[in-house]
Amino acid sequence: MSIFPDDIAALAQKMISHGTARGEMVSTAESCTGGLIAGALTEIAGSSAVVDRGFVTYTNEAKADMLGVQDKTLETFGAVSKETALQMVQGALLRSRASHAVAVTGIAGPGGGSDTKPVGLVHLAAMSRNGAILHREMRYGDIGRDQVRLATVKTALEMLLDVSGAK
C-alpha cells in the first residue's frame, strides 16, 4: 500500500517499470512539492534502478546554486515562471546521470499568491536528453495546499511519462 493516492502510485509504478525496462534514469527538481515527486517514485520497489537523484530547491538561492537557474531569470520572471521551470529541468539533467527530468515551481498556498500569480499556479517542465521538452502552466486554483501539491505530483509524473516515451 502506498502513502500516495492510487492514481499517483500507478503513475509512479508505470515510470519505474518503463525506466527499468529501458535502463533509463530520472531526476527531479522540486520547489512547491518539496520532494514529493521523488517520494512517489521511491515508494515503488526497485526504484533505485531508475531514480538517480532529486533536487529540492525551495529558495531562489537553491535554484541558482543547485540547478544553475540564472539570477536574471529569477529577477525578470520570478521563481514561479515558465522560464525558471525550464532552467530548473535543464539543470536537473545536466547535474545528474538521468535520461529524463521533471521540474516544478509554484504557489501551493494558502498565502503567497497575487493577482498575476494566484495560489494554485504551478509551472512544470519535463525534458529528455534526446531533446524532447515539455512545459505546462497549471492553474489548480485555491484548492488547499495538500491538494495543489498532490495535483502537481500527478501532472509531473504524467509529463515524465510523456517525455520518456512511456505513454
Side-chain angles (χ1 to χ4, degrees):
M1 172 176 256
S2 175
I3 62 172
F4 291 92
D6 290 346
D7 57 345
I8 290 174
L11 291 168
Q13 177 64 63
K14 187 172 182 180
M15 187 67 236
I16 296 303
S17 296
H18 178 75
T20 300
R22 294 181 59 168
E24 296 176 345
M25 299 189 89
V26 300
S27 67
T28 64
E30 305 182 57
S31 187
C32 62
T33 51
L36 289 173
I37 301 164
L41 290 166
T42 58
E43 181 80 3
I44 307 302
S47 59
S48 61
V50 177
V51 178
D52 179 48
R53 67 193 73 189
F55 300 89
V56 176
T57 56
Y58 218 67
T59 65
N60 286 353
E61 292 78 13
K63 288 174 183 66
D65 293 348
M66 293 174 70
L67 298 171
V69 176
Q70 297 174 357
D71 289 337
K72 183 158 181 68
T73 299
L74 293 165
E75 292 165 12
T76 304
F77 302 103
V80 180
S81 65
K82 174 182 182 178
E83 294 79 7
T84 295
L86 290 171
Q87 287 187 11
M88 287 173 67
V89 78
Q90 289 168 348
L93 267 185
L94 287 172
R95 290 162 172 79
S96 73
R97 299 180 301 133
S99 303
H100 318 288
V102 66
V104 301
T105 181
I107 304 164
S114 67
D115 289 342
T116 56
K117 294 185 179 184
V119 170
L121 171 66
V122 180
H123 284 274
L124 304 95
M127 187 174 185
S128 288
R129 288 200 187 268
N130 69 10
I133 189 161
L134 301 172
H135 166 263
R136 286 190 194 158
E137 177 182 310
M138 301 300 291
R139 293 180 179 260
Y140 299 112
D142 193 355
I143 57 175
R145 183 175 183 82
D146 291 348
Q147 292 308 307
V148 168
R149 288 164 43 109
L150 286 173
T152 301
V153 171
K154 182 178 179 188
T155 304
L157 290 172
E158 291 169 346
M159 290 176 69
L160 200 51
L161 286 163
D162 283 347
V163 81
S164 71
K167 265 199 158 175

